[in-house]
Amino acid sequence: TMRVLLQYLALALAAQAAAHAPEQACVSSDRSAPPALRLVFIRHAESHNNVLNLVSTDYYRENRLADPPITPLGQEQARAVARFISESRSGLLQHISEIHVSPTLRTLQTAQPIVHQLVGVKAIVDVSAFEVGGVYDQDARTGAVIAGPGLARAE
């Protein structure tokens, strides 16, 4: 489940932070060396569709949304990740300069509390980042997949 994935992410990051001294986490002792690029991937919090899929595949297919919001549990998960990242900025997650997020509603809603916690960090909505096939829906009658590109930048 999503809770297990977030707990795994938190444990993995904590283990890495403990294994490295804070000064070694993101900064080289060689001042002439370019700064290291560190990427951290965070999956979106629990969405409406994630819950549907727990009931059954048929129930999911009949009731899914093309661009679902996150659930109340998903909102809690997003706030927990934001707190974790904010509290970890002195170690492994220091020097965060940008957050890139896909234009799907669930990823935007997941990113929102993170961006609010990380004052001064640039948030970029990357319209080229989305699921394979983009945001998609399925025709309940025929089962055909209907693909879309995701939200427009203005949305």
Side-chain angles (χ1 to χ4, degrees):
T1 66
M2 185 52 153
R3 177 169 283 165
V4 172
L5 289 173
L6 289 173
Q7 289 171 342
Y8 175 77
L9 172 65
L11 290 172
L13 290 173
Q16 286 184 1
H20 300 284
E23 64 275 5
Q24 294 173 332
C26 296
V27 180
S28 169
S29 60
D30 179 3
R31 298 286 182 211
S32 65
L37 174 64
R38 173 162 286 139
L39 299 176
V40 177
F41 291 90
I42 299 172
R43 186 178 188 271
H44 64 79
E46 180 185 75
S47 74
H48 168 79
N49 288 354
N50 294 139
V51 174
L52 297 177
N53 209 21
L54 295 174
V55 176
S56 74
T57 303
D58 289 337
Y59 187 74
Y60 168 80
R61 287 182 182 143
E62 294 166 5
N63 296 287
R64 72 180 303 281
L65 300 174
D67 195 16
I70 60 176
T71 64
L73 175 59
Q75 293 170 359
E76 182 183 319
Q77 291 169 338
R79 287 190 299 269
V81 170
R83 279 190 308 273
F84 175 80
I85 291 172
S86 178
E87 293 167 2
S88 300
R89 288 193 76 194
S90 63
L92 182 66
L93 297 176
Q94 68 183 349
H95 306 299
I96 295 172
S97 57
E98 295 178 349
I99 294 177
H100 292 252
V101 61
S102 78
T104 60
L105 181 58
R106 62 193 176 272
T107 59
L108 294 169
Q109 290 176 330
T110 302
Q112 186 176 23
I114 297 169
V115 171
H116 285 212
Q117 284 281 339
L118 303 179
V119 178
V121 172
K122 184 176 174 181
I124 300 166
V125 177
D126 186 347
V127 296
S128 66
F130 49 82
E131 293 179 58
V132 173
V135 176
Y136 68 95
D137 203 355
Q138 187 171 32
D139 185 307
R141 190 174 41 82
T142 66
V145 174
I146 305 164
L151 297 175
R153 189 176 296 276
E155 296 174 294

